[in-house]
Amino acid sequence: MKLRLTHLALVLALTTLLSTSLGIYATYRMAEGEFRELLEDDLARQAEILARVLAAGQDAIDDDRLRRLLGNTFEADDEETLLVNVVDLRRRQGISNLDYPDWPDSTDSGPVRLAFDGHQWFGRQWRQDDILVQMLRRDDLHRELQEDIVEDIITPALIGNGVNLLLLALLMGLMLWPLSRLVRQLEQRSPAALTPLSLRAPTREVASLAAGINQLITDVNEVLGRQRRFASDVAHELRTPLTTLKLELAGGEPDLAAIRAEVDRMARVIEQLLILARLDQGRWRHRFERLSLDSVLDSGLQRFRQRPETRDYPVSERLAPLQARVEPTLLGILLDNLLNNVLRHCPPGTGIDVVLQQEAGEVVLEVSDRGAGIDADLRQDMARGSTRLDSKSQGLGLGLAICHQVAHAHGGHLRFLARADGEPGLRVQLRLPS
């Protein structure tokens, strides 16, 4: 059985409450003992002082005067009531401020306890020569005074600990309430549900956790979408050449040239699928070297011009001498896909412009054609990588996905625009950090 955070929070609250109670009780007991000891020391000090004074002036103070002095000095006033007995051992005569009648059981200095006037008294006595002074306090008055003082000490501690417990409960509530909601939402979701979680968290940490889970759900949904598009691309790209091969082989005299052309198309599709798979797995992502882009692009354009089918597609280039961190093979694949797109969708005689320049701190590779162009809505879908250019077997399906992945691997992005001069055609920009 796995513990829930609410159980741990309850254990923490109970432990805090128990430790707080034990601490307050220990404080109370210690304060009680210290206070009683302090009072007894004070009584002993007063008894010693009075005994020494009386012993020094024993012959100068008569009994009546001493009785009035004790009665005026140590009056009965509830909590501060003291019983003061002065005993002259030589004359065996005792004087008390409260008229205590009994003779002391012991004449040695030390603690003393008496029963008088229906109460228990405690205190100290001090003997100086023939004078014995007893100073005692009523137990019940002492406990009341002690409880008042201890209460003054304990009350702030109780209030402070109560506030701490309330703050702890509030903190645990702020943390556990949204976490519990988050757990319930996750437990109630089906495995196929990939919609973001709906959670309002009052704390930044829980909000960050919910945002991280939502981002993970979005990433998983994106990966699954790419996988679905990849499977669709594979089926789309291979269906037509396989159908052509099936028809040619079913005939009495198969056209070997057509079969060879379809096999070449399938080989190119499979090669692009391998490239796309490597890009999806991140196998091309590493620390690229800083290279001269104009030379890399010039080599790609030379290979394009050498192909027989490109003779009717004139290419004009304007390549500025710029450098950037790139992988030349990937950049060549991207350029080749963009140029092949013109061959597939534009009629012979369509001109192609390739420009490399720097704009706003970025390196911009632009491939534009003078074909019929594409609607703005379709260009936006292509910029998101969520569509193919057409439904034909040679449409910009895998090629578009590869171009987006190459741009992403270089930290750049693709843009699909209309021609800047207002003429029909498509303008594709690859923008890279310089």
Side-chain angles (χ1 to χ4, degrees):
M1 178 181 177
K2 295 183 178 179
L3 290 176
R4 291 181 175 270
L5 285 178
T6 50
H7 297 159
L8 295 178
L10 181 60
V11 171
L12 177 60
L14 292 176
T15 303
T16 303
L17 182 61
L18 179 60
S19 61
T20 300
S21 300
L22 291 176
I24 292 175
Y25 177 75
T27 302
Y28 175 81
R29 298 302 300 175
M30 292 177 62
E32 181 183 28
E34 291 290 335
F35 180 70
R36 188 177 187 90
E37 183 179 352
L38 179 63
L39 286 181
E40 290 183 354
D41 290 343
D42 181 63
L43 292 175
R45 177 61 61 184
Q46 292 186 61
E48 178 185 1
I49 294 173
L50 183 57
R52 291 181 182 277
V53 170
L54 293 177
Q58 182 176 1
D59 297 331
I61 302 178
D62 57 30
D63 295 345
D64 293 336
R65 186 178 177 187
L66 178 59
R67 187 175 288 107
R68 288 195 302 272
L69 176 63
L70 293 179
N72 293 332
T73 304
F74 302 100
E75 296 179 358
D77 57 354
D78 298 331
E79 292 184 355
E80 295 299 326
T81 298
L82 293 178
L83 172 59
V84 182
N85 299 323
V86 177
V87 179
D88 188 335
L89 299 176
R90 184 181 60 184
R91 294 189 299 162
R92 295 191 62 83
Q93 183 177 355
I95 298 174
S96 172
N97 67 323
L98 298 181
D99 297 327
Y100 178 72
D102 297 332
W103 187 258
D105 296 332
S106 172
T107 59
D108 296 328
S109 298
V112 60
R113 298 192 66 87
L114 299 176
F116 172 63
D117 197 22
H119 298 285
Q120 291 294 323
W121 299 73
F122 81 94
R124 296 293 181 90
Q125 62 184 20
W126 185 271
R127 179 174 179 177
Q128 185 70 31
D129 298 333
D130 293 328
I131 299 298
L132 177 68
V133 175
Q134 294 179 331
M135 282 201 174
L136 305 100
R137 189 183 297 273
R138 276 172 45 180
D139 271 347
D140 57 333
L141 298 180
H142 162 74
R143 283 193 297 271
E144 291 179 6
L145 179 60
Q146 176 178 289
E147 289 173 358
D148 290 341
I149 295 178
V150 171
E151 182 180 348
D152 293 338
I153 298 174
I154 297 300
T155 300
L158 287 173
I159 295 175
N161 283 286
V163 172
N164 289 336
L165 286 174
L166 289 176
L167 292 177
L168 177 61
L170 178 61
L171 176 62
M172 298 305 294
L174 289 175
M175 291 294 295
L176 295 181
W177 176 71
L179 281 177
S180 299
R181 285 194 57 202
L182 180 62
V183 170
R184 285 196 298 271
Q185 288 191 38
L186 292 175
E187 290 176 345
Q188 294 171 0
R189 291 171 70 90
S190 65
L194 293 176
T195 56
L197 298 170
S198 176
L199 179 67
R200 296 179 116 188
T203 57
R204 180 177 179 182
E205 291 76 8
V206 179
S208 298
L209 176 62
I213 293 177
N214 283 336
Q215 183 61 48
L216 178 62
I217 292 174
T218 301
D219 294 341
V220 170
N221 194 23
E222 183 179 347
V223 170
L224 292 177
R226 285 204 304 266
Q227 290 180 347
R228 288 191 292 267
R229 289 195 299 271
F230 182 81
S232 176
D233 288 337
V234 172
H236 183 89
E237 298 290 347
L238 295 179
R239 181 175 60 244
T240 300
L242 286 174
T243 301
T244 302
L245 287 176
K246 183 178 179 180
L247 292 175
E248 290 293 337
L249 293 175
E253 297 180 359
D255 187 347
L256 297 180
I259 292 176
R260 186 178 297 108
E262 295 303 325
V263 170
D264 291 340
R265 285 177 57 189
M266 290 179 63
R268 288 194 298 270
V269 168
I270 293 173
E271 181 182 0
Q272 287 193 325
L273 289 173
L274 291 174
I275 293 172
L276 185 59
R278 292 192 184 101
L279 287 169
D280 277 336
Q281 296 172 1
R283 294 175 58 182
W284 285 92
R285 295 177 185 174
H286 56 277
R287 189 178 182 87
F288 298 151
E289 296 181 1
R290 195 168 187 83
L291 302 175
S292 297
L293 297 182
D294 52 331
S295 60
V296 175
L297 296 174
D298 185 66
S299 299
L301 291 174
Q302 292 299 328
R303 290 193 299 271
F304 178 78
R305 290 190 180 98
Q306 292 172 3
R307 292 162 53 184
E309 66 271 23
T310 64
R311 295 175 182 174
D312 295 331
Y313 293 87
V315 178
S316 65
E317 58 188 81
R318 189 171 76 253
L319 306 178
L322 299 175
Q323 291 186 345
R325 295 188 181 277
V326 296
E327 211 295 322
T329 303
L330 290 181
L331 191 61
I333 291 173
L334 182 141
L335 178 63
D336 189 57
N337 274 288
L338 294 179
L339 294 174
N340 287 336
N341 177 57
V342 179
L343 298 184
R344 292 167 183 162
H345 299 282
C346 296
T350 300
I352 304 174
D353 300 319
V354 180
V355 178
L356 177 65
Q357 59 187 354
Q358 189 166 19
E359 290 183 2
E362 292 182 320
V363 174
V364 180
L365 169 62
E366 184 175 286
V367 178
S368 57
D369 61 68
R370 299 184 180 89
I374 300 177
D375 293 339
D377 293 340
L378 186 55
R379 291 200 305 269
Q380 291 180 359
D381 292 338
M382 291 170 62
R384 292 192 294 268
S386 59
T387 187
R388 58 175 63 247
L389 190 56
D390 60 22
S391 59
K392 299 179 181 179
S393 63
Q394 301 238 14
L396 187 59
L398 294 176
L400 177 61
I402 290 173
C403 290
H404 277 290
Q405 290 283 17
V406 170
H408 181 68
H410 287 83
H413 60 279
L414 288 176
R415 298 178 63 189
F416 296 83
L417 309 168
R419 287 184 62 90
D421 55 9
E423 296 294 327
L426 176 65
R427 183 162 55 112
V428 183
Q429 284 186 350
L430 169 65
R431 306 183 77 90
L432 300 174
S434 58

